[in-house]
């Protein structure tokens, strides 16, 4: 894909997209710092540690977490854009999962006091990992079609509600540490081989929605949930992103299952970044795609009684 640089796209490092995509489309990146065993990595993603070493450390009992992008970092970035009168679209991790988006809006208000005519537009993706990547990929597409940053932001604020996100994790203890399962539930589920199925709720939070018995059934359930949100006559999807936390073989298995069900123009298999990986641990598979129904409809149709 050739970058048609009509406006700048800035995205935080919660995204999951191939580095080639980032480079080819000239994306600007603002890092979310993360911690691993008391060491802070300020440049985001894998500049200071490899993905394999990160997930191995977690598997070995390492402790990891994230820090918000502070308002000062956004103010500095936005001021540089405003000085150059650049038109900028900013795509950020869900406000229901992080205060990063809130800090960005605060910073933009401050910058507008000095540069009231700056053309910076923020999109709270209400998503995570490959979901942030998917919203970013859609922004690139709309830029190539000739939309302005403002027009793209307005379009994405509607479109993001039909960008569905489905997760399964291999180790329930990470969900316990994140407060989504009690320790007893995590231990009991692990003993009988229960694999949870989660999605990103309409409000942008991650919710435990269902379960499967065993890894194979969980992967099949992800693809099954995807296909049942599509219209029967849907034969092709534009973009699907599969994120994995150090389990490439399972991610490729899911990719093959999707290809057997529907044609996909752009199917990306990506390593999940440390921002979300820190909270789900090794062995997470996540599926992100444009659905034929929005999240509210999906919730009410399939989970209204849960």
């Amino acid at each position: 894909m050739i970058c048609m640089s009509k406006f700048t796209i800035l995205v935080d490092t919660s995204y999951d997209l191939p580095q080639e995509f980032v480079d080819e489309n000239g994306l600007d990146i603002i890092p979310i710092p993360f911690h691993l065993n008391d060491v802070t990595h300020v440049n985001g993603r894998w500049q200071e540690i490899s993905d394999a070493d990160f997930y191995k450390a977690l598997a070995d009992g390492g402790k990891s977490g994230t820090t918000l992008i502070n308002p000062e970092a956004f103010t500095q970035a936005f001021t540089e854009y405003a000085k150059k009168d650049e038109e900028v679209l900013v795509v950020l991790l869900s406000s229901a999962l992080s205060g990063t988006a809130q800090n960005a809006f605060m910073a933009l208000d401050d910058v507008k006091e000095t540069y009231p005519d700056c053309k910076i537009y923020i999109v709270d993706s209400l998503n995570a990992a490959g979901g942030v990547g998917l919203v970013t990929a859609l922004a690139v597409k709309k830029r190539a079609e000739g939309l302005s940053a403002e027009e793209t932001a307005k379009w994405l604020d509607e479109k993001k509600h039909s960008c569905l996100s489905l997760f399964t994790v291999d180790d329930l203890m990470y969900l316990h540490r994140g407060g989504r399962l009690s320790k007893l539930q995590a231990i009991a589920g692990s003993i009988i081989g229960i694999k949870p199925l989660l999605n990103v709720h309409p409000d942008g939070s991650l919710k435990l929605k269902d379960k499967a018995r065993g890894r194979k059934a969980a992967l099949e359930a992800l693809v099954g949930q995807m296909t049942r949100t599509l219209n029967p006559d849907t034969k092709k999807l534009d973009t699907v992103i599969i994120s994995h936390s150090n389990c490439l073989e399972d991610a490729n298995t899911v990719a093959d299952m999707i290809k057997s069900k529907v044609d996909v123009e752009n199917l990306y298999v990506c390593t999940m970044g440390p921002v979300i990986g820190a909270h789900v641990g090794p062995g997470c598979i996540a599926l992100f795609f444009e659905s034929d129904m929005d999240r509210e409809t999906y919730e009410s149709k399939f989970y209204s009684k849960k």
Side-chain angles (χ1 to χ4, degrees), residues 23-69:
D23 295 339
E24 289 174 6
N25 292 288
L27 302 183
D28 281 5
I29 306 298
I30 187 165
I32 298 177
F34 68 94
H35 316 287
L36 180 63
N37 294 332
D38 299 322
V39 176
T40 299
H41 300 265
V42 298
N43 291 319
R45 296 190 74 82
W46 313 123
Q47 281 78 7
E48 298 159 358
I49 184 173
S50 71
D51 54 344
D53 286 344
F54 174 78
Y55 285 114
K56 183 180 185 302
L58 291 187
D60 290 342
K63 306 298 182 183
S64 185
T66 55
T67 300
L68 301 181
I69 302 174

Side-chain angles (χ1 to χ4, degrees), residues 30 69-79 103-104 106-107 110-111:
I30 187 165
I69 302 174
N70 60 46
E72 291 76 17
F74 280 118
T75 297
Q76 181 178 354
F78 294 166
T79 298
N103 285 349
M106 290 171 54
D110 288 343
V111 171

Side-chain angles (χ1 to χ4, degrees), residues 225-256:
Q225 286 189 9
M226 183 191 83
T227 55
R228 68 181 180 172
T229 73
L230 303 177
N231 293 329
D233 58 349
T234 297
K235 303 299 182 185
K236 187 172 185 176
L237 293 176
D238 182 272
T239 301
V240 173
I241 297 175
I242 302 169
S243 298
H244 69 93
S245 53
N246 205 34
C247 47
L248 178 58
E249 185 176 347
D250 283 346
N252 286 333
T253 295
V254 171
D256 290 340

Side-chain angles (χ1 to χ4, degrees), residues 129-259:
V132 177
L134 178 58
V135 173
T136 302
L138 292 173
V140 168
K141 181 179 179 182
K142 289 300 166 181
R143 181 177 66 180
E145 291 175 0
L147 271 66
S148 67
E150 182 177 18
E151 291 169 334
T152 301
K154 290 179 179 178
W155 183 84
L156 287 174
D157 276 331
E158 293 295 325
K159 184 65 175 177
K160 67 187 181 185
H161 297 291
S162 58
C163 293
L164 267 60
S165 309
L166 310 173
F167 292 72
T168 187
V169 301
D170 198 41
D171 187 342
L172 294 172
M173 293 308 296
Y174 288 95
L175 293 181
H176 160 62
R177 292 169 195 153
R180 302 190 183 278
L181 289 177
S182 70
K183 188 171 185 179
L184 181 61
Q185 286 175 314
I187 293 172
S190 297
I191 289 172
I192 62 174
I194 291 297
K195 304 300 180 184
L197 301 171
L198 306 95
N199 67 15
V200 175
H201 204 252
D203 66 3
S205 60
L206 190 63
K207 300 288 187 181
L208 180 62
K209 305 303 296 188
D210 214 332
K211 57 185 180 294
R213 183 67 66 86
R215 180 71 162 181
K216 183 174 183 292
L219 301 183
E220 291 173 345
L222 286 184
V223 179
Q225 286 189 9
M226 183 191 83
T227 55
R228 68 181 180 172
T229 73
L230 303 177
N231 293 329
D233 58 349
T234 297
K235 303 299 182 185
K236 187 172 185 176
L237 293 176
D238 182 272
T239 301
V240 173
I241 297 175
I242 302 169
S243 298
H244 69 93
S245 53
N246 205 34
C247 47
L248 178 58
E249 185 176 347
D250 283 346
N252 286 333
T253 295
V254 171
D256 290 340
M257 284 193 279
I258 292 171
K259 291 174 186 176

